[in-house]
Amino acid sequence: MHLMELSERSSAISMVHKARKNGLPFWNKKRDDRDQMVIAFEAYQQLSSVTIRPMTAISALNTIYEDICTSAHQKRAAMILLPFHKHQRVDGSLESLGHSLQEVNQRVLRHSPCSAGILIDRGFGGTTQVSASEVSYKIVVPFFGGSDDMEALAYGIRMAEHPGIMLTVLKFVPASGKTLLTLEGHDTNVIRVENDKNSNSEADSEIFFSEFVQLAAKKLQDSVTHEERVVESKADVVAALKSMSKSNLFLVGRTPPIAPLLISTDTPELGPVGSFLASSNFSNTPSVLVIQHYYPNGNPHPFVEEEENEVTDDGTDTLV
């Protein structure tokens, strides 16, 4: 979905007369002016085996999350992938594109009707089209436990089915007598993330990880490696993560049951591990995908009920 901010520019004003009568944000699915971003999506479809159904959403930034969540609900999407509100500069630092975009991501996470992820792109995939047979990526999943980590690992397993993907899973285990939430060096004044949805999932995490080990041994032994890291402090966790900094991509759960790795952060939507991986304290090489498992205590209901949809000859959706 190509997101466009509704502004006072004539190109945006020309869309106002097409808005729904109830005043809610409008999906510009039938395009007369041929959106260049959508053209790029369609070109990618022609070069790959991926089926793409592009659409353009036009609304004010403070309500565009409604378009995203409603469309995901309507299409019964399994996951929403969002771009991080910061992009990487030539010198490797991350530059913010605006607090409004950060709020869009936070609102989508809060209202998403399915799992959702935020991608911190540090050049993952490069700038040129690569054929499927030439893909060669190293992906890391730090596994602390909890529903978000399980979702991240499940996503990694799917990716590891591609012969060009090597997946490494690091399972972090606290030293005897400790827990991941009370690691040595934890500052009680740091920003904490919500862990209520992980409170009863320790046993589930162990079962899930055991099943993953069995699957890896039977079907993915050539593309998956896994190991346990016993940690006594946050420094141990940081050292383990930095040892994998030459990888292409980290898949990490948003709210794993672990103490935050940074004293403070301006990106609470990334969680305790994602915030560290996206910070200058880590590395400017690997991209990071922070994943939040669908949380039913959020708002699963659509913001807009559409009466009927048709698929046009060009494969796009048209609101009727």
Side-chain angles (χ1 to χ4, degrees):
M1 175 184 286
H2 182 203
L3 308 178
M4 296 182 64
E5 182 181 5
L6 181 64
S7 69
E8 295 182 357
R9 296 193 307 269
S10 59
S11 58
I13 292 176
S14 66
M15 309 305 301
V16 173
H17 73 280
K18 298 180 181 179
R20 290 169 60 95
K21 293 180 179 179
N22 60 11
L24 291 169
F26 169 72
W27 286 285
N28 179 32
K29 302 173 187 176
K30 187 174 182 180
R31 299 172 304 281
D32 299 325
D33 53 353
R34 300 299 294 160
D35 188 313
Q36 292 299 312
M37 290 299 298
V38 170
I39 291 175
F41 293 148
E42 293 172 341
Y44 177 79
Q45 177 176 247
Q46 296 298 319
L47 294 170
S48 67
S49 59
V50 178
T51 300
I52 295 177
R53 181 173 294 172
M55 65 194 321
T56 303
I58 302 176
S59 72
L61 276 180
N62 63 342
T63 58
I64 205 166
Y65 75 99
E66 298 180 4
D67 288 20
I68 300 171
C69 294
T70 303
S71 182
H73 176 90
Q74 190 180 23
K75 303 301 179 185
R76 296 181 175 87
M79 182 172 289
I80 297 172
L81 295 181
L82 300 160
F84 191 41
H85 73 281
K86 298 180 181 180
H87 72 95
Q88 184 161 282
R89 302 173 58 176
V90 176
D91 62 2
S93 63
L94 291 174
E95 180 181 33
S96 176
L97 298 176
H99 183 63
S100 295
L101 294 176
Q102 182 179 20
E103 289 183 334
V104 170
N105 287 351
Q106 292 174 344
R107 287 168 178 164
V108 170
L109 291 176
R110 191 175 304 121
H111 295 279
S112 175
C114 59
S115 295
I118 298 178
L119 176 65
I120 298 94
D121 185 8
R122 292 190 172 111
F124 182 66
T127 58
T128 59
Q129 176 72 25
V130 178
S131 65
S133 61
E134 296 178 355
V135 167
S136 179
Y137 296 132
K138 295 180 180 179
I139 297 175
V140 177
V141 177
F143 189 85
F144 300 91
S147 57
D148 289 353
D149 275 21
M150 287 190 283
E151 183 79 343
L153 179 52
Y155 202 61
I157 293 171
R158 291 288 299 274
M159 296 177 75
E161 293 176 2
H162 191 290
I165 302 267
M166 292 297 299
L167 177 68
T168 299
V169 181
L170 297 180
K171 182 184 180 184
F172 289 87
V173 180
S176 178
K178 297 180 180 292
T179 70
L180 291 171
L181 283 169
T182 58
L183 291 174
E184 178 185 349
H186 173 50
D187 186 340
T188 56
N189 293 321
V190 298
I191 297 176
R192 297 187 63 85
V193 296
E194 63 275 20
N195 281 296
D196 56 320
K197 61 181 177 179
N198 290 323
S199 58
N200 298 318
S201 61
E202 183 175 350
D204 293 338
S205 296
E206 290 299 325
I207 294 172
F208 182 86
F209 194 83
S210 297
E211 292 176 347
F212 155 71
V213 171
Q214 296 175 12
L215 174 65
K218 291 181 180 179
K219 298 183 179 180
L220 300 172
Q221 63 269 28
D222 295 331
S223 57
V224 175
T225 60
H226 59 88
E227 59 181 286
E228 289 191 359
R229 297 284 183 97
V230 178
V231 292
E232 295 186 359
S233 66
K234 291 194 297 181
D236 292 342
V237 177
V238 168
L241 294 174
K242 287 187 174 181
S243 71
M244 306 301 295
S245 62
K246 299 300 181 182
S247 303
N248 301 100
L249 177 69
F250 274 76
L251 296 177
V252 58
R254 177 175 176 249
T255 59
I258 182 177
L261 303 180
L262 297 174
I263 294 178
S264 63
T265 176
D266 61 350
T267 56
E269 69 274 16
L270 300 183
V273 180
S275 293
F276 170 74
L277 295 176
S279 72
S280 58
N281 299 63
F282 180 58
S283 169
N284 61 9
T285 301
S287 297
V288 183
L289 180 57
V290 179
I291 295 179
Q292 173 184 279
H293 184 256
Y294 168 57
Y295 190 33
N297 285 0
N299 182 4
H301 304 293
F303 294 99
V304 180
E305 290 286 357
E306 295 191 0
E307 297 178 358
E308 183 181 356
N309 282 290
E310 291 182 353
V311 177
T312 60
D313 292 339
D314 63 358
T316 60
D317 291 338
T318 302
L319 182 66
V320 294

